[in-house]
Amino acid sequence: MEAELMALIGTGATTVVGLMVTDAWGQVRQRVVGLFASGAEAEADGVAGELEESRTTLVAAEGTAAEEELRSDVTASVRLRLRRLLEQDPGAAGELRRLVDELAPAYPPPGAVHNSITGGRQDGPVVQGHTFTRLTFRTTGGTAPDRAD
C-alpha cells in the first residue's frame, strides 16, 4: 500500500478515535458506520455495536492510568479496519479523505498542541506550558549587542 494511503489511514484512525470521546460523536457516528459497513444492515449494526463498545471503554478510561494504552489499542484496531477496507475497496479512500478533511481540523486528537509566538522579537527564554515551578534562567545581565532601543 502506498505511503499516502497509509498516512490517510493513520490520520483517519486518529480522527475517528479522537471523535469517539467528544460530544460530536453522535453527529458523525453514522458516517463512520457507513464507511465501515458495506451497506448490509446486519453488518452496519455489528460495526455500530463495536464502535459504541470502544467508545464506552474510552470514556470510562478518561483520566485513568490506562487511558493512553486503551486509546492506542482502539486506534490500532480502527487503523487495521481502515486498512482492510481500503484493500477490499480502494474507492473508499475518497470517502475516508472527505471525512478526515472535514473533521480532523475541527477535532484535533486529545493531547494535540500548537504553540506560536508572535509580536516581534524575543530577547530571552520563552516558556509555554501548564505548570512550572522553580525556574531559573542564568543571564549575563547586559543587553543584546545588536539591540536598537
Side-chain angles (χ1 to χ4, degrees):
M1 194 170 272
E2 65 186 64
E4 182 181 336
L5 282 180
M6 292 305 293
L8 177 62
I9 289 168
T11 302
T14 302
T15 300
V16 167
V17 173
L19 287 166
M20 281 183 177
V21 294
T22 68
D23 293 336
W25 178 244
Q27 298 170 355
V28 298
R29 179 178 167 269
Q30 280 310 112
R31 284 186 63 191
V32 175
V33 169
L35 178 67
F36 286 143
S38 62
E41 190 173 325
E43 186 177 354
D45 289 344
V47 169
E50 288 175 29
L51 291 172
E52 283 306 310
E53 185 178 320
S54 294
R55 180 183 193 278
T56 301
T57 300
L58 290 173
V59 169
E62 281 186 307
T64 69
E67 180 179 11
E68 277 306 309
E69 184 176 349
L70 287 170
R71 180 179 301 278
S72 177
D73 290 349
V74 173
T75 302
S77 174
V78 172
R79 188 180 312 110
L80 180 60
R81 182 182 284 271
L82 286 171
R83 183 177 182 155
R84 287 182 181 153
L85 170 70
L86 296 186
E87 286 171 350
Q88 294 170 359
D89 180 12
E95 177 60 25
L96 177 58
R97 189 168 283 114
R98 283 188 293 280
L99 185 76
V100 167
D101 288 346
E102 181 182 329
L103 300 173
Y107 303 101
V113 176
H114 173 77
N115 292 321
S116 62
I117 300 171
T118 60
R121 185 171 148 173
Q122 316 306 323
D123 288 322
V126 176
V127 180
Q128 294 179 315
H130 184 270
T131 305
F132 299 100
T133 59
R134 299 185 178 148
L135 293 178
T136 302
F137 297 98
R138 308 271 186 234
T139 61
T140 59
T143 60
D146 61 338
R147 185 172 184 165
D149 286 333

